[in-house]
Amino acid sequence: MKKIFLSFVVYSLVELALLIGIGQKIGIFNTLLLIVATSVIGIYVAKNKGMNSVQKVKNSLALGEAPGPAVIDTMLNFSGGLLLALPGFLTDILGLLLLLPFTRKMFQPLVFYWMRKKMKNGQFIIVQR
């Protein structure tokens, strides 16, 4: 619990420092405009890329293929759009990293590892209907 609280405080302070620093460089109005623009883009991306990724999952299931990579791709696309929608520059940077195809490929093995670990511990269950 202490680690979560401490990480939240550190994240908030870094985000605030970035907002102040960028606000001083480009101006308050431009900073607020940039935050609103990235939020709108994030919502748009989460909706459209998310739907395209869900369609890829459906297609791979219809072909009888394992949807693992498509599911991970969908999760990373949606997470990237959601992070872009949140106000702040740190979340925007992480969101962009999750949305760009060449950097998203770097996150996929980490997500596979995390899911395997959760499945092994019984904390992540896949239900087949």
Side-chain angles (χ1 to χ4, degrees), residues 30-43:
N30 289 337
T31 303
L32 292 175
L33 189 64
L34 190 59
I35 289 172
V36 170
T38 57
S39 295
V40 170
I41 291 169
I43 292 168

Side-chain angles (χ1 to χ4, degrees), residues 88-106:
F89 292 109
L90 196 60
T91 56
D92 290 346
I93 291 167
L94 186 57
L96 282 173
L97 288 175
L98 291 176
L99 288 173
L100 297 173
F102 54 91
T103 55
R104 187 174 49 239
K105 297 275 186 218
M106 295 183 332

Side-chain angles (χ1 to χ4, degrees), residues 13-28:
L13 291 174
V14 169
E15 197 71 74
L16 187 60
L18 281 171
L19 284 171
I20 291 170
I22 292 172
Q24 287 176 343
K25 295 286 184 195
I26 66 172
I28 295 171

Side-chain angles (χ1 to χ4, degrees), residues 16-88:
L16 187 60
L18 281 171
L19 284 171
I20 291 170
I22 292 172
Q24 287 176 343
K25 295 286 184 195
I26 66 172
I28 295 171
F29 180 73
N30 289 337
T31 303
L32 292 175
L33 189 64
L34 190 59
I35 289 172
V36 170
T38 57
S39 295
V40 170
I41 291 169
I43 292 168
Y44 176 78
V45 166
K47 180 181 175 188
N48 289 334
K49 273 197 133 192
M51 286 300 165
N52 291 342
S53 297
V54 168
Q55 190 61 40
K56 288 179 186 176
V57 170
K58 287 181 181 180
N59 290 342
S60 64
L61 284 173
L63 294 173
E65 299 172 354
V71 169
I72 300 299
D73 203 41
T74 301
M75 187 174 82
L76 291 174
N77 276 327
F78 181 75
S79 299
L82 186 65
L83 286 170
L84 266 180
L86 293 174

